[in-house]
């Protein structure tokens, strides 16, 4: 994503699946493969029926990553979100914020400032471009009334991780005063490098936490992706409990496979959600799994079930 299209969100290259979804979304924007109105209406009706008399508890601030529901337009996803009973979507850029506002849906994690996933703050040669983009985007986020803006460490390319930390500290310190002034929180996502993102700097919580300590700013946090960190290091609940002050946002998905978070995978998300709440966390827990069903109604049901699992 060397030129980022804010209508889509290629935040991960997950064995090609995320990029394929993005291609489908782009095609949908051109009128190819859009969900027809009749089938979407049927899916929405099923969601309404399924959620009747099952109001969410209100303890967890739920969200969903836009890219994982590429078969739906943003308008349709907003409707689904409201039908299920929450009000936030992750990873949407400025061009589409007006759609969220029309539906009363919050942009819980903004994107579009990044160059891509591999050219990030750990490599100083990208700093000039990143600084320019993030200065501009911080203003866009703040002016829209949002708070969270995603960023990435990028890949090592032979750079020692300690040098990468030095580079990231140097570069981010050049934009953090502006973020602090505008009330925007930069959130660096942790990825695994074992399966999905080979060579990524921030492939373990310790690297990210050390960066947080060096920057020492309330406007820099880590996006703790539970799926990625289970693959990288496990020990999810202890890590959250001991280091929650550095984590500003959470993503979910099943391990292995990055699909539903039900009993088909190894993580027990009710316990994880309870551990997050126990830290006093008041931010967002966003679903970022790839739904396995073919049908639209069944995919929506996967999201409804995931929200229910995490609604502790």
């Amino acid at each position: 994503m060397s030129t980022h299209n804010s209508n889509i969100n290629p935040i991960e290259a997950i064995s090609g699946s995320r990029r394929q979804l993005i291609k489908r979304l782009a095609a949908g924007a051109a009128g190819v493969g859009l969900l027809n109105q009749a089938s979407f209406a049927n899916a929405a009706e099923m969601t309404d029926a399924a959620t009747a008399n099952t109001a969410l508890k209100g303890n967890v601030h739920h969200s969903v990553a836009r890219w994982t529901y590429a078969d739906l337009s943003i308008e349709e996803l907003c409707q689904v979100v409201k039908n299920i009973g929450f009000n936030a979507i992750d990873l949407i850029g400025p061009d589409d914020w007006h759609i969220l506002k029309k539906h009363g849906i919050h942009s819980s994690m903004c994107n579009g400032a990044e160059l891509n996933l591999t050219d990030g703050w750990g490599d100083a040669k990208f700093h000039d471009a990143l600084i320019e983009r993030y200065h501009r985007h911080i203003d866009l986020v703040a002016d829209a009334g949002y708070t969270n803006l995603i960023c990435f460490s990028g890949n090592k390319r032979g750079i020692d991780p300690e040098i990468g930390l030095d580079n990231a500290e140097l570069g981010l310190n050049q934009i953090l005063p502006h973020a602090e002034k505008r009330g925007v929180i930069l959130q660096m996502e942790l990825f695994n490098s074992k399966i999905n993102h080979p060579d990524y700097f921030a492939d373990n919580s310790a690297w990210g936490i050390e960066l947080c300590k060096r920057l020492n700013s309330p406007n820099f946090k880590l996006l703790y992706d539970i799926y990625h960190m289970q693959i990288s290091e496990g020990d999810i609940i202890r890590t959250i409990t001991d280091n929650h002050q550095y984590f500003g946002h959470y993503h979910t998905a099943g391990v292995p496979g990055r699909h539903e978070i039900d009993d088909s995978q190894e993580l027990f998300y009710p316990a994880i959600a309870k551990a997050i709440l126990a830290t006093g966390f008041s931010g967002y827990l966003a679903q970022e799994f790839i739904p396995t069903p073919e049908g639209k109604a069944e995919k929506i049901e996967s999201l409804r079930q995931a929200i229910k699992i995490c609604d502790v």
Side-chain angles (χ1 to χ4, degrees):
M1 68 177 183
S2 56
T3 55
H4 189 88
N5 183 339
S6 59
N7 285 325
I8 60 179
N9 180 51
I11 294 300
E12 297 179 356
I14 302 167
S15 303
S17 61
R18 196 167 189 171
R19 287 175 180 155
Q20 289 303 315
L21 285 171
I22 290 159
K23 289 178 182 177
R24 289 164 59 198
L25 178 57
V32 180
L34 276 174
L35 182 65
N36 69 64
Q37 294 302 311
S39 63
F40 177 72
N42 290 338
E45 288 173 5
M46 290 179 66
T47 303
D48 284 338
T51 55
N53 301 317
T54 58
L56 300 178
K57 296 175 181 177
N59 299 322
V60 176
H61 293 144
H62 298 285
S63 183
V64 59
R66 192 279 175 273
W67 72 269
T68 59
Y69 279 82
D71 288 346
L72 304 182
S73 70
I74 297 177
E75 292 265 5
E76 291 163 343
L77 185 56
C78 285
Q79 183 177 334
V80 167
V81 163
K82 289 195 293 185
N83 287 347
I84 293 175
F86 62 105
N87 69 343
I89 300 175
D90 259 29
L91 305 174
I92 291 185
D95 289 350
D96 294 312
W97 291 341
H98 69 284
I99 302 176
L100 300 190
K101 289 180 180 294
K102 181 176 74 172
H103 289 276
I105 300 298
H106 185 66
S107 179
S108 44
M109 182 60 67
C110 302
N111 70 347
E114 68 277 6
L115 293 169
N116 49 55
L117 304 183
T118 59
D119 301 340
W121 291 100
D123 191 332
K125 71 183 178 184
F126 301 116
H127 283 181
D128 287 347
L130 287 169
I131 289 167
E132 179 182 354
R133 291 171 67 93
Y134 273 86
H135 264 287
R136 180 173 65 250
H137 224 80
I138 286 166
D139 285 332
L140 291 174
V141 171
D143 290 345
Y146 300 135
T147 301
N148 294 325
L149 177 59
I150 199 166
C151 66
F152 303 95
S153 70
N155 285 12
K156 302 182 184 81
R157 297 184 177 91
I159 300 173
D160 185 271
E162 287 298 318
I163 301 300
L165 273 173
D166 292 341
N167 290 339
E169 179 185 5
L170 176 65
L172 287 162
N173 266 326
Q174 296 181 64
I175 61 169
L176 269 172
H178 190 53
E180 291 167 354
K181 178 182 178 181
R182 297 306 315 270
V184 171
I185 300 175
L186 303 175
Q187 307 255 9
M188 180 174 284
E189 186 162 12
L190 302 176
F191 288 154
N192 81 77
S193 59
K194 179 180 179 181
I195 304 296
N196 303 121
H197 298 278
D199 204 41
Y200 191 69
F201 273 114
D203 65 352
N204 62 90
S205 57
W207 193 94
I209 290 167
E210 176 60 24
L211 182 57
C212 287
K213 290 178 178 178
R214 292 188 184 192
L215 293 170
N216 191 31
S217 170
N219 291 74
F220 181 82
K221 299 288 184 181
L222 301 176
L223 194 171
Y224 187 84
D225 190 303
I226 298 163
Y227 161 81
H228 284 301
M229 290 300 96
Q230 172 68 2
I231 292 172
S232 288
E233 59 192 26
D235 205 16
I236 297 297
I237 289 177
R238 187 197 309 271
T239 300
I240 291 170
T241 301
D242 292 349
N243 302 285
H244 61 90
Q245 65 269 35
Y246 305 113
F247 302 155
H249 199 84
Y250 293 91
H251 279 172
T252 77
V255 180
R258 198 180 189 106
H259 297 302
E260 282 80 1
I261 62 170
D262 55 20
D263 59 5
S264 65
Q265 51 85 50
E266 68 193 33
L267 290 164
F268 187 60
Y269 271 96
I272 295 171
K274 288 178 181 178
I276 291 170
L277 285 181
T279 68
F281 182 72
S282 59
Y284 285 89
L285 175 64
Q287 302 296 328
E288 203 185 19
F289 65 90
I290 301 170
T292 56
E294 292 295 323
K296 304 301 186 294
E298 291 78 14
K299 288 182 178 181
I300 292 170
E301 175 63 13
S302 286
L303 178 58
R304 188 187 72 81
Q305 289 292 338
I307 296 297
K308 182 179 178 181
I309 287 169
C310 290
D311 193 51
V312 297

